[in-house]
Amino acid sequence: MSDLCIRHAALPDIDAVLRFWRTAAEGTSISDDHDGVARLISRDPEALLLAERDGTLVGTVIAGFDGWRCSAYRLAVHPDHRRQGIATALLDAAEQRFAALGGRRVDAMVLEENERAHHAWQAAGYHREDHWRRWVKPL
Ligand SMILES: CC(C)(COP(=O)(O)OP(=O)(O)OC[C@H]1O[C@@H](n2cnc3c(N)ncnc32)[C@H](O)[C@@H]1OP(=O)(O)O)[C@@H](O)C(=O)NCCC(=O)NCCS
């Protein structure tokens, strides 16, 4: 992983990140547009982590901390670069950020049918809790 660079995304990265997610991410989010990502980066400039190899974007994770919960979103690795430890490196970086901010536990929402993701989260030390359901209301 020595050739892997992990850095914070900045506003000029937004279009590349949105393109990357169309190829690499699972599912879409209500915030998946230029304004949505710009709001994230403007509110918390260290939240969106990018993994690059030779200057090419190969992975992302959002490490969101609101002072109460640590939430990991948008863990995604380019299909051509999987099983090389990139998600592991991104989660390490996210967890280091959370720990430095005083976070105590990391939450991740993972689709029930996304078995590949279950393996990856489990390998990183996460476990599933069965007694929650997501409750939502669009604004
Ligand atoms: C899930 C995902 C992020 C994993 O990224 P990755 O860089 O390939 O993961 P890593 O190489 O760090 O894998 C770490 C460990 O996770 C487990 N793992 C990862 N992918 C796996 C797979 N397809 N099958 C079984 N185990 C897997 C393995 O234990 C692996 O260690 P190993 O390769 O030494 O066996 C990637 O497959 C992806 O982007 N998928 C689409 C987006 C997605 O579903 N994101 C998660 C949303 S909740």
Side-chain angles (χ1 to χ4, degrees), residues 119-130:
H119 289 299
W121 287 107
Q122 195 162 22
Y126 292 72
H127 68 272
R128 167 182 155 155
E129 291 189 336
D130 282 327

Side-chain angles (χ1 to χ4, degrees), residues 1-114:
M1 282 293 96
S2 56
D3 60 341
L4 195 72
C5 166
I6 295 183
R7 67 172 176 91
H8 306 128
L11 293 172
D13 296 309
I14 292 176
D15 289 332
V17 168
L18 288 167
R19 272 196 307 277
F20 175 80
W21 283 343
R22 283 197 286 275
T23 307
E26 182 77 18
T28 54
S29 148
I30 199 162
S31 308
D32 256 341
D33 54 31
H34 196 280
D35 282 354
V37 183
R39 202 166 291 116
L40 169 71
I41 293 174
S42 302
R43 184 178 153 81
D44 183 349
E46 299 190 350
L48 174 53
L49 301 179
L50 306 183
E52 293 174 327
R53 192 172 261 164
D54 299 327
T56 300
L57 181 57
V58 292
T60 67
V61 70
I62 298 171
F65 182 60
D66 58 10
W68 185 249
R69 288 183 199 282
C70 307
S71 300
Y73 314 96
R74 280 305 155 105
L75 177 65
V77 172
H78 191 281
D80 296 343
H81 296 265
R82 290 183 183 160
R83 299 308 289 270
Q84 297 171 30
I86 295 173
T88 305
L90 281 163
L91 287 177
D92 280 350
E95 290 165 12
Q96 278 174 35
R97 160 162 221 247
F98 292 140
L101 292 170
R104 298 178 181 181
R105 187 190 60 213
V106 188
D107 292 354
M109 284 196 305
V110 185
L111 286 169
E112 278 291 278
E113 69 251 30
N114 191 353

